[in-house]
Amino acid sequence: MGWLVWIGLLGAFLVALARLRASFFTWSLVVAGGLLVAGLTDLLAPLPGLVAWTVFLLVAIPLNVPALRRMLLSDPMLARTRAVLPPMSQTERDAIESGTVWWEAELFRGDPRWERLLRVAPPTLTSEEQAFLDGPVEELCKMLNDWEITHELNDLPPDVWDFIKRQRFFGMIIPQEFGGLGFSALAHSEVVMKLASRSVSAAVTVMVPNSLGPAELLLHYGTEEQKRHYLPRLAKGEEIPCFALTGPWAGSDAGSIPDRGVVCKQRFQGREVLGLRVTWEKRYITLGPVATVLGLAFKAYDPDRLVGDREDLGITCALIPTDTPGVHIGRRHYPTGAAFQNGPNSGQDVFIPMEWVIGGQQNLGRGWRMLVESLSAGRGISLPALGTGSGKLVARVTGAYARVRQQFKVPIGRFEGVEEALARIGGWAYLMDAARLLTAAAVDAGEKPAVTTAIVKYHLTEGMRRVVDDAMDVHGGRGICMGPANYLARVHQTVPISITVEGANILTRSMIIFGQGAMRCHPYLVREIQAATDPDPAAGAEAFDRALFAHMGFTVTNAARSLVYGLTRGRLAPAPVLGATAKYYQRLARMSAAFAFLADLTLLFLGGSLKRREKLSGRFADALSFMYLCSASLKRFQDNGQPEAELPLVEWACKYSLYQVQNALDEILRNFPARTLGQVLRLVVFPLGRRFRYPNDALGHAVASVLLAPSDVRDRLTSGIYCSEDPADPTGRVEYALRRLLEAEPVERRLRSAREVCPPHVAYDDWLDDLVKRRVVDAGEARALRESRRATRAAIDVDDFPPSRALEAAADVAA
Ligand SMILES: Cc1cc2nc3c(=O)[nH]c(=O)nc-3n(C[C@H](O)[C@H](O)[C@H](O)COP(=O)(O)OP(=O)(O)OC[C@H]3O[C@@H](n4cnc5c(N)ncnc54)[C@H](O)[C@@H]3O)c2cc1C
């Protein structure tokens, strides 16, 4: 009994200290107090008591007495850190220092303050933005025929180009004072999402000028004159921009571009001016073949010291009119399945005056910083919107198709195998939209969350890949045979584009998310590194000791939190809400503590070499990402007013995410470089073993059911995409069939119970006429049955072509 009280008290203290984010000194006082009480109450026999005191004093005294700690711990660790700290290039330093940290830092640090998440205002559009979505965006969607775009024209039709320019789609991020639409990140995201549900080629065309490119760079770094000249013209579509960074020798390692500009003086428009002679070779540049203004990244050199005392100035960005002599544009690549303009461009010794450098001469060499600082908005908005648009389209149309398509006399969506795929589609569509909305809210609140945007870029494009693959399986041949009626195959073909651009996904997962997360979100790591690299060794040593001591308290606190929450299955963790989702907040808090503790110990153990351990880093990225996705789902549910009907979706999203976090941490421990240490850490991370399970079959069934019939929750899940019930429209045809099928279903049921079945040798229409004649059904019911049958046939039909055309189509696909 005494022991039980002792353990209870210990647990209570641990929880209290963990909640209070206690310092190492406080921890020491409490442990000393505990030992004292245990000794006085005879809970601890004299010998074990002596051992416990000895161990405690050996640890606590050196660590709490600064001089001793410096001598025994901080200074040796500082020396080791200085020796092993990998050299950091300026590009890496810029990447690490750029942007802000936000909600992901709360998850990273092990004790998420939920009020911070729930305080974020629910996403809302202004009336102007909503009117734009209901007006020009809806109209543009109606104009888009993706088969015509991708197969017949390999381009957007001229009237679509005109409409896009006229309605200022290219100026969404340009403020109204410069003639743009001045939209929020949310509105930008909604526009791209809706267009993506209609045509990926059109969505990319609109997305690129609004992402990282001339407009974004000019807004932040342009001179007043550059802004006044370009922004109104870009907003009205009088200039078509592109941004050229990638080349044959520099893809993911964009900082290594060999393209160069040499500072020189040359006669230009009748006078001698200071400028750069630029030589470059770029590829994969979106809108490049039709661009009128080329945003170009190159490395600037000043061998004659015309602008300062350095030769190597660094990456620089300039805006070059494409009609400048020596600029070569026009040739096109043919990216898989898409028809947006994309191609190489080059220039040899092209002279550009200094005022073409974005921001002018003072911005020579500041290009990389400009790029990484501006990257997060585009990366966190455009591609996630594109992925979510495709995900929502797939959820809506695959559910409808799975209901109208019957095999073995049963809608295929009712088969458990298909249901599994539908559940993944529905659950992922929910997760993706939740993360998209939360990230847009952060950007609109002025954040530039570098880690979050990498997370959503990676997971919302991977989510797109996953749901589109599932949708292809559910559609069978209907998804494979290409033609105007196929709404899926082009999306499927274009998935690798989203995976590759704006930070290829393998690199984003294995290097960026956790690598940048550790540097930006960890409360002490950067302070320790800064101290270790302080040019003043004495000041550095003192700062290092202070940071290390605080770091120790942080680690112990997270260990205690992880252990206690693990032992109580998260029940002692705080939950900011009541009701069905409260437990997911608690479980997430538990995983956050476990993550923080494990990440800390791994960083301590591996130091700078973690940079090369991409498999471990990738798993940490997964854990952090799924915590973010899970919290986004909880936030979305809360923002929507906790609707009962949405519960299966949020539960699926949370269970799935927690299961992924658990798997990632488990795999880290299983592959921990020091086996024994890995086993010890496992006791703290999973004291009761791995308890989270994949969403069960009943939950999967509930999620799949949402997709199979029209309802408010299905509409909410797929809100914001282009929806049609027009039987002449490729996706509208399937929705139309679903509605007609459901209208006819009661009559069909009645006929089945009356054992009225169409005989195999009788045509369906003749059988219906006979039923009317025999007054089994009335004329209206027969019409409903006939229309349902006709609409279903249209929904399951695929295109076929005359032999010559089919060959042409095959050649097109093969190309
Ligand atoms: C359709 C399309 C449009 C594009 N539009 C533009 C544009 O408008 N402007 C522009 O400048 N660029 C553009 N790009 C370029 C795009 O950003 C690059 O393709 C991308 O950066 C990857 O470069 P890469 O294709 O050369 O692949 P590579 O860099 O050769 O990478 C190949 C693979 O290796 C992985 N990898 C590389 N390094 C690492 C690492 N350290 N750790 C783990 N994995 C790694 C990558 O993740 C990838 O999976 C576009 C590309 C495409 C395909």
Side-chain angles (χ1 to χ4, degrees):
M1 187 62 188
W3 275 103
L4 280 180
V5 173
W6 172 236
I7 288 171
L9 278 175
L10 185 70
F13 268 120
L14 285 179
V15 173
L17 289 179
R19 287 267 181 92
L20 291 170
R21 303 165 185 241
S23 68
F24 192 79
F25 181 68
T26 317
W27 278 104
S28 308
L29 281 184
V30 170
V31 174
L35 287 175
L36 210 59
V37 173
L40 291 175
T41 55
D42 289 338
L43 273 173
L44 218 49
L47 188 61
L50 188 67
V51 175
W53 270 110
T54 312
V55 173
F56 168 70
L57 292 174
L58 279 175
V59 175
I61 292 178
L63 294 184
N64 282 298
V65 178
L68 276 178
R69 186 174 65 232
R70 286 270 313 260
M71 189 176 75
L72 296 172
L73 186 73
S74 306
D75 288 352
M77 273 192 79
L78 176 61
R80 184 166 171 262
T81 307
R82 282 181 174 146
V84 299
L85 206 60
M88 204 181 282
S89 65
Q90 188 55 41
T91 29
E92 281 175 300
R93 211 178 289 273
D94 286 345
I96 282 164
E97 285 169 7
S98 69
T100 58
V101 290
W102 183 64
W103 175 242
E104 76 281 17
E106 294 282 329
L107 295 167
F108 197 102
R109 292 172 187 172
D111 188 17
R113 287 169 293 183
W114 296 115
E115 68 279 5
R116 195 166 172 208
L117 176 73
L118 298 182
R119 240 192 354 247
V120 176
T124 39
L125 296 165
T126 64
S127 51
E128 264 182 354
E129 292 167 343
Q130 189 61 56
F132 189 77
L133 280 157
D134 297 340
V137 183
E138 179 79 10
E139 204 177 326
L140 178 57
C141 285
K142 284 191 186 133
M143 292 167 80
L144 297 172
N145 173 341
D146 202 43
W147 180 249
E148 178 195 36
I149 293 169
T150 56
H151 180 72
E152 288 165 7
L153 302 176
N154 193 22
D155 195 0
L156 303 179
D159 60 330
V160 168
W161 273 108
D162 282 349
F163 188 81
I164 287 174
K165 290 179 191 172
R166 209 166 359 99
Q167 295 293 338
R168 309 192 177 205
F169 275 86
F170 287 158
M172 281 192 284
I173 60 164
I174 298 177
Q176 291 179 349
E177 58 178 297
F178 293 109
L181 295 171
F183 277 177
S184 60
L186 176 67
H188 173 191
S189 166
E190 294 284 326
V191 172
V192 173
M193 181 176 75
K194 188 159 179 164
L195 293 178
S197 69
R198 197 70 178 143
S199 163
V200 169
S201 299
V204 171
T205 302
V206 166
M207 177 179 115
V208 165
N210 289 292
S211 278
L212 177 58
E216 173 87 3
L217 293 172
L218 283 174
L219 279 169
H220 292 108
Y221 310 100
T223 61
E224 280 312 308
E225 202 185 329
Q226 288 170 336
K227 287 185 196 174
R228 270 201 312 277
H229 175 75
Y230 275 118
L231 291 177
R233 299 162 66 80
L234 286 167
K236 282 186 262 175
E238 288 169 7
E239 298 275 6
I240 302 289
C242 70
F243 190 76
L245 174 63
T246 310
W249 297 105
S252 299
D253 184 11
S256 67
I257 45 172
D259 313 293
R260 61 186 187 278
V262 177
V263 179
C264 63
K265 285 186 175 161
Q266 188 167 315
R267 285 196 78 73
F268 183 75
Q269 294 175 346
R271 61 194 174 99
E272 186 167 82
V273 292
L274 185 65
L276 297 122
R277 202 172 298 120
V278 192
T279 297
W280 74 92
E281 195 189 349
K282 303 288 189 184
R283 64 177 182 181
Y284 305 155
I285 307 308
T286 303
L287 295 187
V290 293
T292 59
V293 55
L294 169 69
L296 185 75
F298 58 89
K299 284 187 176 156
Y301 298 92
D302 184 18
D304 300 329
R305 307 292 195 270
L306 294 175
V307 294
D309 54 7
R310 280 189 306 133
E311 176 170 347
D312 184 353
L313 302 177
I315 293 179
T316 299
C317 299
L319 291 183
I320 305 179
T322 52
D323 57 5
T324 305
V327 176
H328 300 291
I329 63 158
R331 291 188 66 78
R332 287 183 67 178
H333 299 306
Y334 190 17
T336 168
F340 57 82
Q341 296 279 338
N342 182 279
N345 62 67
S346 61
Q348 179 75 39
D349 291 329
V350 177
F351 180 78
I352 65 165
M354 197 57 85
E355 66 258 32
W356 289 6
V357 169
I358 297 178
Q361 184 175 326
Q362 60 166 1
N363 275 356
L364 281 173
R366 291 194 59 220
W368 188 254
R369 206 180 170 95
M370 285 156 59
L371 292 177
V372 289
E373 275 176 4
S374 312
L375 180 69
S376 61
R379 186 171 68 180
I381 299 300
S382 306
L383 285 167
L386 190 127
T388 310
S390 305
K392 287 184 172 186
L393 167 77
V394 155
R396 194 167 179 93
V397 87
T398 309
Y401 182 79
R403 184 70 184 262
V404 300
R405 173 65 174 167
Q406 293 199 357
Q407 288 294 282
F408 308 98
K409 299 196 173 63
V410 173
I412 57 170
R414 298 278 184 228
F415 293 113
E416 287 201 353
V418 174
E419 198 173 87
E420 280 188 328
L422 291 176
R424 280 193 296 270
I425 292 174
W428 262 100
Y430 192 80
L431 270 174
M432 289 163 81
D433 203 31
R436 176 187 74 90
L437 290 169
L438 183 60
T439 310
V443 173
D444 279 334
E447 300 286 348
K448 288 186 169 185
V451 182
T452 303
T453 54
I455 290 174
V456 289
K457 190 278 156 174
Y458 177 81
H459 282 279
L460 273 49
T461 54
E462 288 294 334
M464 171 186 180
R465 165 146 71 186
R466 201 160 300 148
V467 297
V468 172
D469 272 353
D470 273 330
M472 286 296 287
D473 290 354
V474 173
H475 279 77
R478 174 73 171 84
I480 292 164
C481 292
M482 299 187 66
N486 190 323
Y487 40 76
L488 199 55
R490 286 298 192 210
V491 184
H492 184 250
Q493 283 184 324
T494 55
V495 165
I497 299 174
S498 307
I499 299 289
T500 301
V501 299
E502 293 199 22
N505 275 10
I506 295 180
L507 170 105
T508 301
R509 170 179 179 263
S510 48
M511 231 179 128
I512 295 178
I513 296 176
F514 184 68
Q516 211 167 22
M519 298 302 277
R520 298 305 314 271
C521 301
H522 194 290
Y524 302 108
L525 205 61
V526 169
R527 274 167 62 185
E528 284 158 356
I529 291 174
Q530 278 168 348
T533 50
D534 194 323
D536 177 349
E542 207 164 299
F544 187 84
D545 177 64
R546 269 198 310 275
L548 189 69
F549 189 53
H551 189 162
M552 278 159 41
F554 172 76
T555 309
V556 175
T557 301
N558 278 328
R561 210 182 277 131
S562 173
L563 185 65
V564 174
Y565 290 172
L567 287 170
T568 54
R569 301 176 66 184
R571 288 195 188 95
L572 293 183
V577 301
L578 298 171
T581 52
K583 60 179 179 278
Y584 298 114
Y585 287 91
Q586 294 177 315
R587 290 172 189 175
L588 198 47
R590 185 198 144 194
M591 283 292 96
S592 169
F595 171 92
F597 170 69
L598 189 56
D600 219 3
L601 267 285
T602 310
L603 286 164
L604 189 71
F605 187 72
L606 290 177
S609 70
L610 185 58
K611 203 170 151 184
R612 292 187 300 278
R613 308 297 286 260
E614 289 196 347
K615 291 176 188 162
L616 285 183
S617 176
R619 292 177 186 123
F620 274 118
D622 292 343
L624 181 62
S625 303
F626 277 105
M627 289 195 290
Y628 182 76
L629 296 183
C630 186
S631 59
S633 304
L634 289 167
K635 161 87 172 135
R636 175 187 176 161
F637 185 67
Q638 211 61 23
D639 285 348
N640 285 357
Q642 301 168 276
E644 184 76 21
E646 214 172 289
L647 206 52
L649 292 167
V650 71
E651 291 220 66
W652 194 97
C654 288
K655 281 180 190 283
Y656 179 85
S657 303
L658 287 165
Y659 182 70
Q660 303 298 334
V661 178
Q662 171 184 273
N663 284 356
L665 298 186
D666 178 51
E667 286 298 314
I668 293 166
L669 290 166
R670 218 163 61 77
N671 292 282
F672 205 76
R675 261 184 99 75
T676 319
L677 179 57
Q679 282 161 355
V680 174
L681 296 179
R682 185 177 284 281
L683 294 177
V684 179
V685 173
F686 296 121
L688 296 181
R690 295 177 307 143
R691 312 295 293 206
F692 299 137
R693 299 274 175 268
Y694 192 84
N696 68 18
D697 292 351
L699 186 55
H701 172 77
V703 172
S705 302
V706 169
L707 304 192
L708 289 172
S711 66
D712 283 352
V713 64
R714 176 175 179 258
D715 285 346
R716 251 199 324 273
L717 179 69
T718 58
S719 65
I721 61 166
Y722 180 76
C723 293
S724 160
E725 285 181 42
D726 178 357
D729 181 86
T731 52
R733 196 170 295 159
V734 188
E735 189 69 18
Y736 179 79
L738 174 68
R739 308 271 169 167
R740 299 297 82 77
L741 181 103
L742 295 177
E743 271 167 19
E745 225 172 43
V747 195
E748 282 198 332
R749 222 173 323 176
R750 207 181 71 219
L751 290 174
R752 258 199 313 276
S753 34
R755 296 184 187 280
E756 291 282 359
V757 183
C758 180
H761 56 275
V762 176
Y764 188 74
D765 280 346
D766 294 344
W767 176 63
L768 287 184
D769 290 343
D770 181 54
L771 290 179
V772 175
K773 222 180 284 163
R774 288 194 285 124
R775 295 176 191 264
V776 179
V777 296
D778 63 26
E781 289 171 331
R783 226 182 357 262
L785 288 168
R786 198 172 280 121
E787 189 53 14
S788 164
R789 176 103 167 167
R790 204 197 56 72
T792 297
R793 176 60 206 257
I796 63 173
D797 264 352
V798 297
D799 297 292
D800 47 48
F801 302 91
S804 58
R805 188 71 197 283
L807 278 177
E808 207 181 284
D812 166 65
V813 172

